[in-house]
Amino acid sequence: MSRSFDRPADFIDAAREMAVTGRPALARLLAEEAADRTPDADTAARILAEFSGPSLRQEG
């Protein structure tokens, strides 16, 4: 079954799955994407707080 990533919740679900399976870096990246797609700043902050750690993105 193919997974679609259309909503912030899709990214959060994937982030939780990655965290449970011992992939915290991937979980953080997915959480950052969910936060970016969340229009409410407070909700975005809560998402990032759930997956603590520094950003691993390489902007450029």
Side-chain angles (χ1 to χ4, degrees):
M1 179 171 97
S2 173
R3 179 181 281 184
S4 70
F5 289 86
D6 301 323
R7 305 167 298 135
D10 299 325
F11 288 90
I12 294 168
D13 290 344
R16 288 183 179 134
E17 184 178 324
M18 292 302 108
V20 166
T21 59
R23 298 179 220 162
L26 204 52
R28 176 63 188 198
L29 288 170
L30 288 161
E32 289 176 3
E33 189 63 32
D36 287 350
R37 293 169 181 255
T38 301
D40 180 64
D42 291 335
T43 302
R46 281 194 297 274
I47 291 167
L48 293 176
E50 183 178 344
F51 300 92
S52 62
S55 176
L56 300 170
R57 290 181 173 177
Q58 293 184 354
E59 305 288 333

